[in-house]
Amino acid sequence: DSGVTQTPKHLITATGQRVTLRCSPRSGDLSVYWYQQSLDQGLQFLIQYYNGEERAKGNILERFSAQQFPDLHSELNLSSLELGDSALYFCASSLLGGTGELFFGEGSRLTVL
Amino acid sequence: ILNVEQSPQSLHVQEGDSTNFTCSFPSSNFYALHWYRWETAKSPEALFVMTLNGDEKKKGRISATLNTKEGYSYLYIKGSQPEDSATYLCAFPQAGTALIFGKGTTLSVSS
């Protein structure tokens, strides 16, 4: 158990809909990362937050947004969903930024039909 | 976003074989180099975080070396076992923060 909690574990929805994925980081970790893993793709970096502020942004679509709340949990909002958004979305946390090891949640499997 | 390259993409070895993989990363503005192990149906788990040129880390039969000047790291597995079958990822923090992952090397060990 990494200490990182992601909900929901599985989500099936239709095109055009909006979903919210939630992540609770490991106790004490200030940094939260979101990654997307699509079929045959590696871990694609989406966005990073550190202590409530956006720290770095990757190839995140404009239809996607995220935030980190004062209690350090984070949410990833995916809107106007398309078939291609079907993927496994991982949240990871670390105490530090890039020099601290990441602890991954179990992922949220999103299926868009 | 910078590129982190890993080779080979996949590898199949027999139990008892020793093997190694390569991770290439930008040699400028180095902060750290991470190695993760990702088993099927599980989440990635950290193996090593390396920060110094020439650094060598070891965990059981797995070890890693780092050359920051030329921008590469090697991961070695000595005497591979079936339970070593996994995808091994390396990652590099872009601008010291956003951890960018390579596509990984998938190792399959046959008994």
Side-chain angles (χ1 to χ4, degrees), chain A residues 33 35 37 41 43 45 48 55-56 58-59 90 97-102 104-106, chain B residues 1 31-32 34 36 38 42-44 46 49 51 89 93 96-101 103:
Chain A
Y33 297 75
Y35 291 90
Q37 191 219 355
Q41 295 292 316
L43 289 172
F45 171 68
Q48 180 205 0
R55 179 59 66 91
N59 294 326
F90 280 108
T99 55
E101 69 178 88
L102 262 57
F104 282 82
E106 294 182 342
Chain B
I1 292 189
Y31 292 91
H34 297 226
Y36 290 79
W38 192 2
K42 293 187 178 181
S43 304
V49 178
T51 56
L89 303 169
T97 181
L99 207 56
I100 307 300
F101 282 83
K103 292 190 175 180

Side-chain angles (χ1 to χ4, degrees), chain A residues 61-96:
Chain A
L61 299 172
E62 285 191 11
R63 300 183 285 107
F64 295 2
S65 65
Q67 55 184 326
Q68 186 180 28
F69 295 86
D71 66 353
L72 301 179
H73 92 272
S74 178
E75 292 181 356
L76 179 66
N77 300 297
L78 315 175
S79 61
S80 301
L81 286 168
E82 301 175 0
L83 296 177
D85 297 328
S86 296
L88 185 56
Y89 291 85
F90 280 108
C91 167
S93 73
S94 73
L95 176 60
L96 305 172

Side-chain angles (χ1 to χ4, degrees), chain A residues 14-26:
Chain A
T15 55
Q17 295 298 304
R18 172 190 170 94
V19 298
T20 297
L21 309 181
R22 182 188 169 97
C23 170
S24 293
R26 208 172 57 120

